[in-house]
Amino acid sequence: MEQAAEAAELRYPIGKFDRPSIVSREQRDQFIQQIADLPDELRRAVHGLSESQLDTPYRSAGWTVRQVVHHLADSHMNSYVRFKLALTEDEPTIKPYREDLWAELAEARTGPVEVSLSLLDSLHRRWELVLEAMEDAEFARAFRHPEMGLVPLDTNVALYAWHGRHHVAQVNSLRDRMGWR
């Protein structure tokens, strides 16, 4: 049982996402700030890592640091598009993607992390502009996810604020365990 708890802690160093039933304006502002801060936090987390360190899995049977960086770019691009769809269409059904298979593509396994770090810089700046321009009522707009059901944009803001912190914590946890500070 102790090994299972340790494995869960490595996989979810900040805990699993807890879907809020209601998001206050203050919470939303905090989530938006966390989304805005993600590119700099990720850059700090991978700063100075060697190629072999970037190719180290953050946990047994987990993705490498490099794959985590590329996954964040892939995932956050998808989320940004989902926001735009929900703002311009009535409850659009989005297409999920196989993140596990995307992470196994050659560019995700071997590509330079700077490509995804730069993408995240620009993407998150655009996303922040969208989020800051949204009226309160627009956060109630939603998209339909085939596996998650109806997802209000308020929930998605919370999810992606958590998602960025979650993966940065995985990298920082690995750095701490390996003494890469």
Side-chain angles (χ1 to χ4, degrees):
M1 192 61 141
E2 198 171 301
Q3 283 181 324
E6 185 176 312
E9 186 176 324
L10 292 177
R11 186 169 186 185
Y12 298 103
I14 64 169
K16 290 186 177 184
F17 177 64
D18 185 19
R19 185 176 180 158
S21 54
I22 298 173
V23 176
S24 71
R25 179 66 190 167
E26 293 75 26
Q27 288 172 308
R28 182 186 311 136
D29 289 345
Q30 181 181 11
F31 296 146
I32 291 169
Q33 188 60 55
Q34 289 169 347
I35 287 171
D37 291 344
L38 180 271
D40 289 339
E41 290 179 7
L42 184 60
R43 277 189 184 282
R44 280 192 295 278
V46 300
H47 179 75
L49 293 181
S50 68
E51 291 298 307
S52 66
Q53 290 168 329
L54 290 170
D55 291 330
T56 302
Y58 73 91
R59 67 178 173 88
S60 177
W63 290 337
T64 66
V65 172
R66 183 183 312 275
Q67 287 171 301
V68 168
V69 171
H70 294 311
H71 162 71
L72 279 163
D74 291 340
S75 178
H76 290 212
M77 280 190 296
N78 274 281
S79 184
Y80 172 75
V81 169
R82 291 169 184 176
F83 263 84
K84 302 273 279 203
L85 289 170
L87 288 170
T88 59
E89 300 176 22
D90 290 328
E91 295 182 5
T93 298
I94 58 92
K95 182 177 184 333
Y97 70 102
R98 292 285 309 271
E99 64 183 41
D100 57 330
L101 297 179
W102 284 34
E104 293 303 323
L105 293 172
E107 51 82 23
R109 287 184 293 102
T110 64
V113 294
E114 183 55 40
V115 173
S116 285
L117 292 171
S118 294
L119 190 155
L120 285 163
D121 287 336
S122 297
L123 175 65
H124 275 247
R125 183 62 186 124
R126 283 285 307 273
W127 200 358
E128 181 183 5
L129 292 171
V130 169
L131 293 168
E132 289 176 346
M134 288 172 62
E135 300 291 331
D136 286 345
E138 289 177 303
F139 285 93
R141 294 186 65 87
F143 58 82
R144 197 165 293 285
H145 190 290
E147 297 156 5
M148 296 170 55
L150 196 61
V151 180
L153 294 182
D154 251 346
T155 299
N156 213 42
V157 168
L159 174 60
Y160 277 84
W162 170 86
H163 187 254
R165 292 187 345 270
H166 161 72
H167 285 301
V168 167
Q170 288 172 334
V171 174
N172 285 332
S173 174
L174 173 65
R175 287 187 78 127
D176 290 345
R177 289 191 320 276
M178 301 297 283
W180 294 343
R181 290 286 172 196

